[in-house]
Amino acid sequence: AIMATMAYPKWRNYGFFDKELVKNPEDDQVLDVLKGINITVSSSGRGHMVFGDADGFVHFLHRDLHVSKFMAYQCRVSHLAQLKQHNVLISVGDDDESGPIVKVWNCDKWDRSGNPHCIRLLPLSPGTRTVQPVSVIAVHEADHTTQLAVGYCNGTVAVIKDIIKERMFRTNQQHALHQDRDPITGLAFAPGKIGPILYVATSNAVFSYQLGPNVHRESLGQLGCEVGCATVSDQSQDFQFVVGRKEAVYFYQREDKGPCFVFEGEKTLIHWFRSFLVVVFRDTRAVKSTTGGKSVCNVNIYDIQNKYIASASPFPDVRAVLAEWGALYVVSGSDHKLYRLEEKSTASKLDILFRKNQYEMAINLARNQRCDMDGLVDIFRQYGDHLYSKGDYDGAIKQYVRTIGRLEPSYVIRRFLDAQRIHNLTTYLEELHAKNLANTDHTTLLLNCYTKLKAVHKLKQFIQTDRELNFDVETAIKVCRQASYFDHALHLAKKYKQHEWFLKIQIEDRRVYMEALDYIGRLDFLDAEFNLKKYGKDLVNEKPDATTELLKLLCTGKWPRGGLPGEEMRAQPEEFVHIFVQRKEQLLHFLEHMVQYQPNSSKLVYNTLLELYLHHDKDETTVEQQQREDKALDLLRSPDADFDIDHALVLAQMHNFRAGVLHLYERARLYHQILQYHMEHNDYSLVMETCNSHELRDPNLWVQALAYFAGKEDDCREQIAEVLTHIEKRKLLPPLMVIQTLARNSTCTLAVVKDYVSKCLQRENEQIAEDERMIKEYRENTEKMRGQIELMRTTAKVFQPTKCHYCTNPIELPAVHFLCGHSYHQNCLEAAESESECPLCAEKNRLVSVGFWHSC
């Protein structure tokens, strides 16, 4: 495997950590609680820092910055490990010259003397007779077990399982895992797929062990490190093993080498904090330049993923680097001062990067810090603005594209409306459509960009895509049409059933009328009806016969598409009459077809058809005109024709259609109008014929005829004589009025009226004689009645009836007798209409009374 090398000098220092000397909160003086402690080892976790000294004491620095301690060993403390998941402290030290001892302390249990409870004590031995000092330790915490790895100076690595279980003074729990000639300088556990991985570093080599039922060893390289210069990364770097050497820092994976970063300098300590690599360098130049020979160390914090230096600070003689309470702490100097390196907030970091125009770094930082999308978009916008101001329009548009969905598109579009930047604008608009965030204005603008760039391929790809549309189709059609890309516009209109636009382009732009008609013929009924109403006039003018045939299908229910099964859909023919304004012959054929197929057509259809029949062109022959008039008369006579009589009459009169006028007069029972029509044309025979034909319906026609002939100076004696005969027969006028009417005619002699006058006088004489006879009869009857009345007054009347004239039963008392000779039971008379009048004579007396009053 080849190890990748990263050059260090290109990395920039951004100062993302604030350096602060920790002070005592009580007196605001420099914290000196660690002063005087001969620190040999340190650890941290569970809310405190832990220090071991050369006298065997373990010191706890708590969050409130006070220190507590207890004696762990008689001699010195060499190693400490504070567990994270358990409040347990593991220490390695010496009680005597017998060798190092591991002690496990339960920090949740303290005795009265102020010492934590020791749950395990285990002497360490690498399997040799001589005592071997411990160089490094490492702890792995898991849910089921906690393992301790111990590295010796003789090159041995031993692993102790279940280290935190209480097993006092037992020495048979450790087993040797690794044997080497070089001393062990670094140990670290990392999680693996089938079990923990133990990385082992010596002064000249690096190894990895896959722990589990079957231990697998892997040699990773022949480059070792010094004690303290090895650690393991976090999850962001896949838990790689990190080894620091003078020339560089090396990363190792389970079975292979990782990257290498050239951080030159003598390294004394390597630590991992969050996602940062902390490296302590010894500054040899500072040693030579300072008095007293005191060493100076530089603590550099690297962001390996984003390739920058987060902090670089000098410290005098660094003794420990610890991570606790959310910050990084450095113990330095002979007086053990405590420094805090606290990471700046994300907002402060971004502000620093913005001031330095490090926008790519700001983006990576925001993503690592899991900033919300609004924060990222603001960085993208600022980055785009920066690139735009520098004239890098291609780079700027890439950043603006990343703001789509958050930043108002008009902010970007206004910047790139210049013709020289139209290709950048096109890129932005394409992405806007790809994310389904474009509106009609954006679509219009993009298509205009394509047309201006003459990017026919892109235009075709944009509108003829098979994927789901992410733009407004109607807008796209409009733009393509305006740019004369008719084929593209037609493709869109046809594909997405924009029938109106398809026909508009075919008819108004391309003028291919037959293709438009064929397209309409394939539409559903409602769509076809709508578009024929809209474009029918143009189609009829250009393709009259084909359009007419299409309309016949539409209006007769024979359209092949549309409607529910079994449902016959028909258009109203009167709604299409106006489109034939310049094609009367086709309109005539269309309406004839409609009335033949659909006799119950509307009045407008019949009225229009009648008007077409009566309209005569200048180039028509007499035969053709007669044929049309015959058709018009047949139409008027048809019982199914539902035309408007008044309208038809006006048309017939306008076109001097005599037969039609007379038929309509007769149909409307306008007999006087028929007579007047013949009178206006001085057709005497038809005048007489009309009177004879319609005298039963209107006898006064003879009176009108008499007035007509009386006003004529022609020889009309024969006609007048016949008219007088009918007038006399029907007694339509008094003789005197007839004489006065005829007196105006100079040609009418006494001989003409002699017979009429004789008949009138004879009839009147007969009437006078009849009247005299009736008068004589009435007088005789009156005298007779007066005699009877007088007889009734002076002579008694004897009633001898035997039966009731109402019920015909024998008469019995009580009975009522009338002078007329009729007798009734009183009960029967009460059932009659009146008790004071004879029921049998009442009707006769009433008729006499009525006749008397009428005569008066």
Side-chain angles (χ1 to χ4, degrees):
I2 299 175
M3 180 175 291
T5 302
M6 303 295 177
Y8 158 68
K10 296 183 180 179
W11 291 21
R12 300 186 61 173
N13 180 10
Y14 294 113
F16 285 165
F17 282 79
D18 293 324
K19 178 182 177 181
E20 180 185 8
L21 182 61
V22 179
K23 295 182 179 180
N24 194 325
E26 296 178 358
D27 54 11
D28 199 28
Q29 297 297 317
V30 176
L31 186 69
D32 57 357
V33 294
L34 299 179
K35 187 176 181 180
I37 301 175
N38 187 8
I39 298 175
T40 58
V41 68
S42 62
S43 183
S44 64
R46 303 294 293 189
H48 49 247
M49 299 180 191
V50 187
F51 301 93
D53 63 15
D55 298 324
F57 284 91
V58 174
H59 303 263
F60 290 92
L61 177 60
H62 301 280
R63 187 160 193 151
D64 58 2
L65 301 182
H66 78 273
V67 176
S68 62
K69 66 178 182 178
F70 72 94
M71 178 172 281
Y73 297 91
Q74 297 297 323
C75 296
R76 66 190 295 270
V77 181
S78 61
H79 298 85
L80 289 174
Q82 173 66 53
L83 302 189
K84 308 300 182 184
Q85 299 180 11
H86 305 85
N87 195 8
V88 173
L89 177 66
I90 299 176
S91 64
V92 178
D94 300 314
D95 279 334
D96 50 33
E97 296 181 358
S98 61
I101 300 175
V102 174
K103 293 183 180 181
V104 181
W105 308 91
N106 185 353
C107 296
D108 287 331
K109 296 180 181 181
W110 296 75
D111 59 18
R112 294 180 181 180
S113 300
N115 298 323
H117 176 57
C118 182
I119 61 176
R120 190 164 186 180
L121 189 148
L122 180 64
L124 295 177
S125 173
T128 61
R129 295 181 180 180
T130 60
V131 175
Q132 293 293 330
V134 175
S135 56
V136 289
I137 65 171
V139 179
H140 177 260
E141 294 183 81
D143 295 335
H144 57 281
T145 183
T146 301
Q147 301 183 61
L148 173 66
V150 182
Y152 295 92
C153 292
N154 67 349
T156 301
V157 176
V159 177
I160 305 171
K161 296 183 179 180
D162 299 326
I163 188 64
I164 64 174
K165 292 186 178 180
E166 295 192 19
R167 295 176 181 175
M168 298 297 292
F169 305 107
R170 295 184 62 183
T171 61
N172 58 354
Q173 294 299 314
Q174 57 181 316
H175 63 278
L177 181 68
H178 175 81
Q179 294 287 345
D180 204 321
R181 293 175 298 176
D182 300 321
I184 306 301
T185 57
L187 292 175
F189 283 99
K193 295 182 179 179
I194 60 176
I197 299 171
L198 176 62
Y199 289 101
V200 178
T202 69
S203 57
N204 292 308
V206 176
F207 306 90
S208 69
Y209 286 88
Q210 175 66 66
L211 303 183
N214 298 316
V215 177
H216 177 72
R217 168 178 165 165
E218 193 76 35
S219 177
L220 301 179
Q222 300 301 316
L223 298 175
C225 65
E226 299 296 328
V227 175
C229 292
T231 186
V232 69
S233 67
D234 65 356
Q235 187 176 3
S236 65
Q237 293 296 322
D238 299 324
F239 301 104
Q240 297 183 85
F241 188 52
V242 186
V243 173
R245 291 176 59 83
K246 183 176 181 179
E247 70 278 5
V249 174
Y250 302 89
F251 283 69
Y252 295 93
Q253 300 170 1
R254 161 69 184 86
E255 296 178 348
D256 201 357
K257 298 175 182 178
C260 169
F261 298 93
V262 181
F263 303 146
E264 294 182 351
E266 183 182 350
K267 301 168 183 65
T268 61
L269 183 65
I270 285 184
H271 185 80
W272 195 271
F273 173 64
R274 294 177 179 169
S275 60
F276 299 101
L277 174 64
V278 183
V279 181
V280 180
F281 294 89
R282 189 182 304 279
D283 193 343
T284 56
R285 292 173 297 177
V287 172
K288 296 178 181 179
S289 61
T290 56
T291 60
K294 294 181 180 180
S295 63
V296 175
C297 297
N298 291 325
V299 178
N300 290 3
I301 304 175
Y302 301 97
D303 188 324
I304 299 299
Q305 182 174 353
N306 297 311
K307 311 294 187 299
Y308 67 85
I309 303 173
S311 176
S313 302
F315 294 91
D317 192 19
V318 174
R319 304 299 298 273
V321 175
L322 301 169
E324 192 59 41
W325 308 319
L328 196 65
Y329 289 86
V330 178
V331 180
S332 69
S334 58
D335 53 357
H336 299 163
K337 291 181 180 178
L338 187 64
Y339 293 87
R340 180 190 297 111
L341 293 176
E342 188 167 5
E343 188 177 4
K344 294 179 182 293
S345 65
T346 302
S348 300
K349 292 180 183 179
L350 293 175
D351 186 57
I352 293 172
L353 293 173
F354 292 156
R355 290 199 301 268
K356 296 183 178 183
N357 294 327
Q358 296 296 311
Y359 294 98
E360 285 290 352
M361 191 67 69
I363 292 169
N364 294 334
L365 175 64
R367 284 176 172 167
N368 292 340
Q369 298 295 326
R370 298 182 180 179
C371 290
D372 59 12
M373 195 59 196
D374 290 334
L376 278 171
V377 166
D378 186 60
I379 299 174
F380 297 148
R381 179 192 60 79
Q382 293 186 56
Y383 192 14
D385 293 345
H386 171 69
L387 294 174
Y388 184 88
S389 64
K390 292 174 61 178
D392 184 3
Y393 303 117
D394 293 339
I397 206 66
K398 290 179 181 178
Q399 299 306 317
Y400 288 134
V401 163
R402 301 164 84 175
T403 67
I404 291 176
R406 301 281 179 168
L407 182 64
E408 177 61 35
S410 59
Y411 177 87
V412 180
I413 293 172
R414 283 196 300 267
R415 289 173 169 258
F416 292 90
L417 287 177
D418 190 277
Q420 296 178 352
R421 303 167 195 162
I422 194 171
H423 64 282
N424 300 120
L425 179 58
T426 303
T427 300
Y428 180 80
L429 292 172
E430 286 174 343
E431 290 297 325
L432 201 62
H433 283 79
K435 296 181 179 180
N436 295 326
L437 295 174
N439 57 31
T440 56
D441 294 333
H442 300 149
T443 302
T444 303
L445 189 56
L446 177 59
L447 293 174
N448 281 323
C449 289
Y450 284 148
T451 56
K452 290 185 180 297
L453 293 172
K454 299 189 182 303
V456 180
H457 175 70
K458 281 193 172 183
L459 178 63
K460 182 178 180 180
Q461 184 179 13
F462 181 75
I463 66 175
Q464 296 185 4
T465 177
D466 292 331
R467 59 188 173 88
E468 184 180 356
L469 266 182
N470 52 10
F471 58 85
D472 183 75
V473 176
E474 187 173 353
T475 302
I477 295 174
K478 287 181 181 178
V479 175
C480 292
R481 184 190 180 204
Q482 291 172 357
S484 298
Y485 286 92
F486 299 129
D487 291 338
H488 299 78
L490 288 172
H491 172 82
L492 282 175
K494 186 175 182 179
K495 181 176 181 180
Y496 299 103
K497 298 182 180 180
Q498 298 288 326
H499 310 308
E500 185 178 353
W501 281 106
F502 185 92
L503 294 171
K504 184 186 290 289
I505 295 170
Q506 293 284 57
I507 295 171
E508 298 179 5
D509 299 323
R510 300 185 67 197
R511 301 183 181 279
V512 285
Y513 303 100
M514 279 307 301
E515 292 183 17
L517 285 171
D518 292 340
Y519 185 82
I520 293 175
R522 294 191 296 270
L523 297 179
D524 291 338
F525 175 84
L526 294 178
D527 292 328
E529 181 184 23
F530 173 81
N531 286 289
L532 278 174
K533 287 179 181 178
K534 186 167 185 178
Y535 301 107
K537 185 175 180 180
D538 294 332
L539 293 172
V540 166
N541 291 337
E542 299 297 333
K543 299 293 179 181
D545 295 333
T547 307
T548 303
E549 292 302 318
L550 208 60
L551 285 171
K552 288 179 181 179
L553 294 176
L554 192 71
C555 296
T556 55
K558 297 181 179 180
W559 195 260
R561 297 174 184 82
L564 299 175
E567 179 185 8
E568 186 180 53
M569 300 186 70
R570 297 181 182 179
Q572 300 300 319
E574 58 269 18
E575 296 179 356
F576 298 94
V577 171
H578 67 281
I579 69 176
F580 291 93
V581 64
Q582 296 179 2
R583 293 288 180 176
K584 298 186 181 300
E585 192 65 30
Q586 279 72 27
L587 177 59
L588 179 63
H589 295 327
F590 172 65
L591 296 179
E592 285 179 339
H593 178 81
M594 289 309 305
V595 298
Q596 179 182 0
Y597 183 85
Q598 191 174 337
N600 60 342
S601 296
S602 65
K603 282 183 170 58
L604 180 61
V605 172
Y606 281 102
N607 292 343
T608 306
L609 181 58
L610 178 62
E611 184 177 357
L612 291 173
Y613 282 148
L614 297 179
H615 178 77
H616 301 302
D617 293 331
K618 294 181 180 180
D619 54 351
E620 275 187 339
T621 63
T622 305
V623 175
E624 291 176 340
Q625 291 181 2
Q626 186 61 43
Q627 289 176 348
R628 289 204 175 189
E629 288 185 357
D630 292 342
K631 290 183 177 180
L633 188 59
D634 292 339
L635 180 67
L636 294 176
R637 290 175 177 174
S638 173
D640 297 325
D642 185 22
F643 53 83
D644 184 89
I645 293 181
D646 294 334
H647 184 80
L649 188 57
V650 171
L651 289 175
Q653 291 172 344
M654 285 176 57
H655 294 87
N656 195 26
F657 181 37
R658 180 176 181 180
V661 171
L662 295 175
H663 174 77
L664 291 171
Y665 281 157
E666 183 174 358
R667 182 169 178 172
R669 297 183 180 181
L670 299 175
Y671 307 119
H672 286 277
Q673 296 293 337
I674 298 174
L675 188 62
Q676 184 66 32
Y677 184 84
H678 293 315
M679 290 176 179
E680 291 175 356
H681 290 80
N682 296 318
D683 194 334
Y684 298 162
S685 61
L686 289 178
V687 169
M688 298 304 296
E689 182 181 344
T690 301
C691 292
N692 284 311
S693 300
H694 305 297
E695 65 174 347
L696 296 178
R697 301 183 183 89
D698 191 354
N700 288 322
L701 292 174
W702 294 110
V703 177
Q704 185 178 356
L706 178 63
Y708 169 72
F709 287 120
K712 292 293 181 179
E713 297 299 328
D714 299 335
D715 185 8
C716 303
R717 288 176 293 177
E718 182 179 352
Q719 288 83 3
I720 292 175
E722 185 177 353
V723 170
L724 289 177
T725 301
H726 288 281
I727 291 176
E728 186 274 332
K729 180 180 179 180
R730 295 181 176 278
K731 301 177 182 179
L732 299 176
L733 285 176
L736 182 60
M737 186 174 292
V738 172
I739 298 300
Q740 290 175 348
T741 301
L742 293 176
R744 294 178 298 174
N745 192 327
S746 59
T747 61
C748 184
T749 61
L750 182 61
V752 176
V753 297
K754 176 180 178 181
D755 292 339
Y756 170 75
V757 172
S758 298
K759 290 179 180 179
C760 289
L761 292 176
Q762 182 181 355
R763 186 177 68 251
E764 289 184 358
N765 288 333
E766 291 176 353
Q767 184 65 38
I768 292 170
E770 178 65 19
D771 292 342
E772 288 178 350
R773 185 187 64 79
M774 292 297 297
I775 290 171
K776 180 178 179 182
E777 182 178 352
Y778 285 149
R779 284 177 178 174
E780 291 176 353
N781 291 335
T782 302
E783 289 298 327
K784 183 178 179 180
M785 289 180 182
R786 286 176 178 172
Q788 291 177 351
I789 292 171
E790 183 64 24
L791 182 62
M792 289 179 187
R793 288 179 178 176
T794 59
T795 307
K797 179 71 175 179
V798 179
F799 297 96
Q800 293 180 339
T802 58
K803 292 183 179 180
C804 174
H805 288 86
Y806 188 81
C807 64
T808 67
N809 292 325
I811 193 72
E812 294 179 356
L813 296 177
V816 178
H817 305 278
F818 290 95
L819 293 176
C820 61
H822 298 129
S823 299
Y824 304 91
H825 293 116
Q826 187 174 1
N827 294 334
C828 294
L829 189 61
E830 290 176 354
E833 294 182 0
S834 175
E835 297 181 4
S836 60
E837 188 176 12
C838 176
L840 295 179
C841 299
E843 183 65 25
K844 181 179 177 181
N845 294 336
R846 189 176 297 111
L847 292 175
V848 173
S849 177
V850 170
F852 174 76
W853 286 109
H854 281 304
S855 63
C856 292

